[in-house]
Amino acid sequence: MDLSVSIGSLALKNPVMTASGTFGYGLEFADFVDLSRLGGIIVKGTTLEPRQGNPYPRMAETAQGMLNCVGLQNKGVDYFCEHIYPEVRNLGTAVLVNVSGNSPEKYAECARRIASLDDIPAIELNISCPNVRQGGMAFGVTCEGAASVVKAVRAVYPKTLIVKLSPNVTSIADIARAVEAEGADAVSLINTLMGMAIDAERRRPILSIGTGGLSGPAVKPVALRMVWQVFDAVKIPIVGLGGIMNATDAIEFMLAGATAVEIGTANFIDPAVTMKVIDGIGDYLLRHHIDSVRDLIGAAH
Amino acid sequence: MTKYCLDLVLRRTSAPRPGYVLLQLANPSGALPPMQPGQFVEVRVDGSPGTFLRRPVSINLVDPAADELWLLVHVVGAGTRALAQLKEDALVNVVLPLGSGFTLPSGSSCPLLIGGGVGTAPLLFLGQELAGRGIRPTFLLGGRSAGDLLQLDHFRRFGEVFVTTEDGSAGERGFVTQHSLWQRASAFSSIYTCGPKPMMQAVARLAREHALPCEASLENMMACGLGACLCCVEDTTDGNVCVCKEGPVFNIEKLKW
């Protein structure tokens, strides 16, 4: 049985990766997960300069999900290169960096510095963070904005470039086409859906900046539909995410057109969920007498 | 410390006061892992769509004789209500131990442990640990009324107990920060506190006035409990840090209170 998949020149031992911002640098989960069994780890959003993120409170629980407005808190790309990279470069799995910024130049400079790290085979370009005022999602909601960032990064980043798309758009297929045209190797979708929560007793929004990004099973049908639409729109591989809680969810994303998947919020509910998803995909292939997981990609179309 | 995700069995559930539930849990597949006072666990709550995330709960006690983990829960919402309705012998999925605990004093010392409401819970475990080291702590426990004072008999096993209530129904009337014990604050060597944030901030001010080292245990809203999601941050002298990982116990000098 063959669980391996490829995204551009990036070979993954299986299609199960962890979503940025939900799995730290992987090390936080080492007591629960054999990290070397993962298809990949996408580490938290990294920017050229350090960011403090948004004030507390940054989280609200919702029906079958949660909202967050963390706002890309991170210590900056140089800190990552000097202090985190040596800790994660030999985990036995593909370690990808999620890159964010507030101008095409800053995205590109951050990507350029990560390109110099031998053991980071790919980046995920975050043009879809709903929780920062400048940049982030601002680029991901128009074809021109998305194309401008991808063009700048593509010019300096020769390895596998995955672009993470926002669902907060009229046509995600159009955005996917725009980034494909600028040379993206793959797209990942979806980032969180913009939402909010209000405390009825206090009569105030719960989150410090009012709005946040919704994740968890609540968003899965939306994510699945978008993967389905983008599969028909582009030729590059799709990484699917959004509310995946178990192997069946992951398989549904692959059937809709995803080559690989990312597990995000589910890590908070079961820190070992990724192992169960990998095992469950294997069981599914056996049960259906399918030799390669690649045969699932887009098979529902 | 190694963390675990375990299905614990609920040996006994009881209500020490109306509105509170005490869960006594054991590991059906072996001994409980080592845990330190001030650390917490994340309890999985199944049942309703609105209780999606785990609930962080401080470790109330690890009973070494029975090898039981005690969790004292204030029933405030759907998640804690679901925990209160669990039946004995139910399996409860728990991630533990999480966070960093209280700094234990070395040698002879006279610590003052100040708790409010369900915030007293981790101070019982701390009291047991101190007693085990030959230190007899003093407890100052506060509540709105007598019905909010929890586990007083257990606290008395480990040290002297003073109480305050806002309505005067038990102990001295007022807040913990108004208790007459403060008149001899110089007799104490350090303060540990857990409770509502305004209470802890008032305690921190008094600790500074009396030049006593002080640690406070925070309970910011959290998701992962592992330092991954960055939701539970506290603004400290080191910037925004995760309460679940760098805390929940902080020296007050690190806090911008």
Side-chain angles (χ1 to χ4, degrees):
Chain A
M1 187 173 55
D2 185 2
L3 285 177
S4 68
V5 296
S6 293
I7 299 166
S9 57
L10 173 67
L12 302 177
K13 65 181 79 175
N14 65 61
V16 179
M17 298 195 281
T18 57
S20 176
T22 66
F23 204 67
Y25 294 103
L27 307 167
E28 291 86 343
F29 286 75
D31 287 341
F32 309 101
V33 166
D34 177 354
L35 298 172
S36 72
R37 285 193 63 208
L38 289 167
I41 296 171
I42 305 179
V43 305
K44 65 180 71 164
T46 301
T47 50
L48 188 57
E49 286 119 11
R51 285 182 56 93
Q52 272 294 313
N54 290 319
Y56 178 86
R58 294 174 167 184
M59 189 273 288
E61 189 177 37
T62 63
Q64 288 296 320
M66 61 177 280
L67 290 156
N68 88 80
C69 64
V70 171
L72 294 175
Q73 178 181 331
N74 79 100
K75 292 183 176 175
V77 67
D78 291 338
Y79 185 90
F80 175 82
C81 294
E82 284 165 42
H83 300 282
I84 310 287
Y85 174 62
E87 302 285 318
V88 300
R89 62 184 298 185
N90 294 316
L91 293 178
T93 184
V95 176
L96 285 64
V97 178
N98 179 285
V99 170
S100 202
N102 54 24
S103 70
E105 295 73 28
K106 288 192 175 176
Y107 273 100
E109 180 55 23
C110 189
R112 195 185 61 78
R113 294 188 197 182
I114 290 164
S116 68
L117 306 175
D118 289 342
D119 293 318
I120 304 292
I123 59 171
E124 180 179 63
L125 206 58
N126 181 4
I127 57 167
S128 44
C129 177
N131 299 321
V132 292
R133 270 197 206 91
Q134 227 193 349
M137 196 173 84
F139 292 107
V141 293
T142 65
C143 291
E144 298 75 25
S148 71
V149 176
V150 175
K151 186 176 188 178
V153 172
R154 183 76 285 178
V156 298
Y157 190 79
K159 295 191 256 184
T160 301
L161 174 59
I162 304 168
V163 182
K164 189 170 187 178
L165 304 183
S166 171
N168 305 300
V169 295
T170 310
S171 170
I172 197 166
D174 288 346
I175 310 278
R177 278 191 211 99
V179 304
E180 179 183 42
E182 293 298 340
D185 296 303
V187 285
S188 56
L189 56 133
I190 58 174
N191 204 322
T192 53
L193 276 159
M194 205 170 194
M196 80 179 294
I198 290 176
D199 183 334
E201 297 302 317
R202 290 175 50 249
R203 303 180 191 178
R204 301 288 305 158
I206 292 176
L207 299 173
S208 64
I209 62 165
T211 58
L214 179 65
S215 63
V219 311
K220 194 191 104 180
V222 177
L224 204 55
R225 180 266 293 179
M226 290 186 163
V227 168
W228 177 276
Q229 289 178 327
V230 169
F231 183 76
D232 284 332
V234 299
K235 294 189 175 63
I236 53 177
I238 299 165
V239 181
L241 72 152
I244 296 176
M245 297 297 285
N246 52 49
T248 306
D249 291 341
I251 289 161
E252 290 172 20
F253 273 83
M254 294 194 72
L255 294 171
T259 296
V261 296
E262 297 177 22
I263 314 286
T265 306
N267 292 303
F268 306 158
I269 314 302
D270 178 0
V273 66
T274 45
M275 301 293 102
K276 294 169 189 171
V277 172
I278 295 166
D279 292 341
I281 293 173
D283 292 344
Y284 178 90
L285 296 183
L286 279 178
R287 190 156 55 82
H288 289 271
H289 309 290
I290 298 169
D291 292 330
S292 168
V293 73
R294 295 186 296 279
D295 292 342
L296 299 179
I297 302 166
H301 283 256
Chain B
M1 292 176 84
T2 308
K3 304 177 193 78
Y4 301 86
C5 184
L6 300 172
D7 281 325
L8 301 182
V9 64
L10 182 58
R11 275 210 192 136
R12 191 170 137 72
T13 175
S14 55
R17 298 279 191 191
Y20 297 89
V21 64
L22 176 67
L23 306 174
Q24 294 171 252
L25 300 153
N27 185 2
S29 53
L32 286 169
M35 290 172 260
Q36 290 172 352
Q39 290 187 303
F40 69 100
V41 307
E42 282 255 45
V43 186
R44 184 156 176 172
V45 185
D46 290 319
S48 92
T51 55
F52 176 64
L53 297 168
R54 288 175 181 266
R55 294 299 187 268
V57 182
S58 63
I59 298 171
N60 180 214
L61 195 74
V62 177
D63 179 343
D67 201 28
E68 274 179 4
L69 166 68
W70 290 20
L71 302 178
L72 181 61
V73 178
H74 189 194
V75 182
V76 290
T80 48
R81 217 162 24 243
L83 293 177
Q85 285 162 358
L86 289 170
K87 304 282 182 244
E88 282 166 19
D89 296 326
L91 288 179
V92 183
N93 186 266
V94 179
V95 179
L96 79 178
L98 298 172
S100 55
F102 294 106
T103 310
L104 294 166
S106 53
S108 65
S109 63
C110 301
L112 175 59
L113 280 55
I114 304 174
V118 78
T120 57
L123 301 183
L124 185 65
F125 190 18
L126 177 59
Q128 174 182 257
E129 186 70 28
L130 292 169
R133 292 167 179 242
I135 296 166
R136 194 171 156 76
T138 300
F139 297 100
L140 175 55
L141 309 174
R144 284 208 178 85
S145 68
D148 297 310
L149 297 170
L150 305 158
Q151 301 179 305
L152 294 182
D153 290 343
H154 289 297
F155 281 106
R156 289 191 184 104
R157 283 160 51 202
F158 304 128
E160 197 174 1
V161 176
F162 298 89
V163 302
T164 63
T165 51
E166 289 171 40
D167 63 2
S169 56
E172 292 186 16
R173 179 190 295 267
F175 298 116
V176 287
T177 44
Q178 296 166 324
H179 195 274
S180 57
L181 197 59
W182 287 100
Q183 288 161 18
R184 51 186 181 92
S186 58
F188 298 105
S189 55
S190 61
I191 291 173
Y192 300 93
T193 186
C194 184
K197 205 166 194 174
M199 183 208 86
M200 290 195 289
Q201 288 172 326
V203 168
R205 275 195 296 276
L206 281 175
R208 287 204 181 92
E209 271 176 36
H210 294 282
L212 291 171
C214 178
E215 287 187 339
S217 180
L218 276 54
E219 46 175 18
N220 293 9
M221 285 187 296
M222 347 181 134
C224 73
L226 300 168
C229 71
L230 308 185
C231 286
C232 64
V233 292
E234 179 74 14
D235 185 16
T236 70
T237 53
D238 296 332
N240 283 329
V241 302
C242 288
V243 167
C244 70
K245 190 177 180 189
E246 309 302 326
V249 177
F250 290 91
N251 190 301
I252 59 165
E253 297 309 318
K254 284 238 162 176
L255 300 171
K256 292 183 174 173
W257 286 0

